[in-house]
Amino acid sequence: MRRPVHFDAAQLSFINIAQAASRIRKDYGNNARRSLTVCCSPAFSALWMAQRLPSFFSDNPDIDLDLVTSQNFLSLEPGIHPDIFITKISRLRDGYASVPLFHDRIYPVCPPAYLQAHPEIQTLDGLRHSVLLNLSPYGRSQVAEHVDWSVWLAIHRLDLDERQKNDAHFFNANDYNLLIQMVLNGQGVALGFNQLVSHLIAQNLLVRPVPEELVLEESRHYFAYREDKASDSALARFRSWFFAQCGLLQE
């Protein structure tokens, strides 16, 4: 039977120092690898980045990525200085240049089997009385606008408060990844943000039960990068790949 390995704080400190020294040697060696730190939301990381990054790594085997996720872009932990932010804040902080990306397009989504089992959700009123999985505004105080089911239905002239006591349940959470997983599991209908769910629709894992959508034309997502790294080749390659994945032309 193997004995448990015990480390004290001093041993761990020495290991951390050794690892840091190793990274420095790699950075300044003849065969130095390039490294970028990218910061985005947990939902963007899981639903956008995860399924696209393999193409970046296959085309750029010499670049390592350090991906940091946060809902609070304005006050990251000390020592975190991302090279790139993907954010909805146009002017994030000094020393960063921002390039506008896409608008939010928001529409209901559910799996094909769920739509077949619940044909009533093919109307807006039917949707209002169905099982709704809602994105809570909790933790999103930095974003000027927040679209949940109440807002989305109000834009389409329906009042969420008119749901009846015997209507299907209403589930509220501030974890968008959880909501999409619940949708994929056939547990209800959620609002899909196009940039996060379009690949799931393309794979026929999700469908749009109604054609109505909301486009936030007054706001965008932004690609913000460190101005002092504007000529860095690794950053330039990541930016070129990212814009191509978004279907956008370089500025």
Side-chain angles (χ1 to χ4, degrees):
M1 181 176 180
R2 292 184 178 180
R3 293 183 178 180
V5 179
H6 299 280
F7 287 97
D8 59 26
Q11 288 174 302
L12 289 174
S13 295
F14 282 122
I15 291 173
N16 291 336
I17 292 171
Q19 291 174 337
S22 176
R23 287 193 294 268
I24 292 171
R25 284 194 298 270
K26 289 180 181 179
D27 290 342
Y28 288 93
N30 291 330
N31 297 317
R33 296 181 61 82
R34 313 303 298 275
S35 179
L36 291 173
T37 300
V38 180
C39 182
C40 63
S41 71
F44 196 84
S45 170
L47 296 172
W48 197 97
M49 287 283 193
Q51 54 105 24
R52 290 176 172 86
L53 279 176
S55 69
F56 175 79
F57 290 129
S58 64
D59 293 339
N60 300 276
D62 60 322
I63 299 178
D64 294 330
L65 292 182
D66 183 5
L67 186 62
V68 177
T69 64
S70 177
Q71 296 284 17
N72 192 343
F73 295 103
L74 298 179
S75 56
L76 295 176
E77 292 182 19
I80 303 296
H81 302 289
D83 302 301
I84 297 164
F85 285 93
I86 312 300
T87 175
K88 293 186 71 173
I89 304 172
S90 59
R91 294 300 303 173
L92 191 62
R93 59 183 68 183
D94 292 339
Y96 284 82
S98 295
V99 181
L101 298 171
F102 37 77
H103 301 289
D104 272 323
R105 285 177 54 211
I106 308 166
Y107 43 76
V109 291
C110 67
Y114 190 89
L115 177 59
Q116 185 176 6
H118 302 275
E120 69 276 5
I121 65 173
Q122 294 180 87
T123 69
L124 292 180
D125 189 59
L127 268 176
R128 174 172 53 178
H129 299 289
S130 67
V131 177
L132 298 181
L133 308 178
N134 188 60
L135 182 61
S136 162
Y138 182 78
R140 288 174 169 78
S141 60
Q142 297 177 59
V143 180
E145 74 289 329
H146 175 75
V147 176
D148 57 13
W149 273 112
S150 178
V151 172
W152 195 91
L153 287 169
I155 293 294
H156 293 94
R157 301 181 180 180
L158 280 86
D159 188 349
L160 183 64
D161 291 337
E162 292 182 3
R163 284 169 55 94
Q164 306 301 315
K165 285 185 177 181
N166 59 349
D167 278 347
H169 65 270
F170 184 89
F171 179 77
N172 207 44
N174 72 336
D175 184 344
Y176 192 68
N177 294 333
L178 170 66
L179 296 182
I180 293 302
Q181 190 58 56
M182 291 177 69
V183 171
L184 290 169
N185 291 340
Q187 298 180 50
V189 186
L191 289 173
F193 291 76
N194 184 66
Q195 73 276 6
L196 301 181
V197 302
S198 59
H199 69 288
L200 299 173
I201 293 174
Q203 297 169 32
N204 201 38
L205 296 174
L206 294 178
V207 294
R208 298 174 58 171
V210 295
E212 285 83 0
E213 64 179 29
L214 171 62
V215 181
L216 300 182
E217 297 182 348
E218 299 301 318
S219 65
R220 288 179 178 268
H221 291 254
Y222 293 87
F223 182 100
Y225 61 93
R226 284 173 49 177
E227 292 177 325
D228 62 353
K229 279 198 161 187
S231 59
D232 181 81
S233 63
L235 193 150
R237 280 189 277 162
F238 183 87
R239 172 174 157 168
S240 178
W241 168 84
F242 185 90
F243 273 60
Q245 292 294 314
C246 292
L248 301 172
L249 298 175
Q250 290 279 335
E251 65 169 1

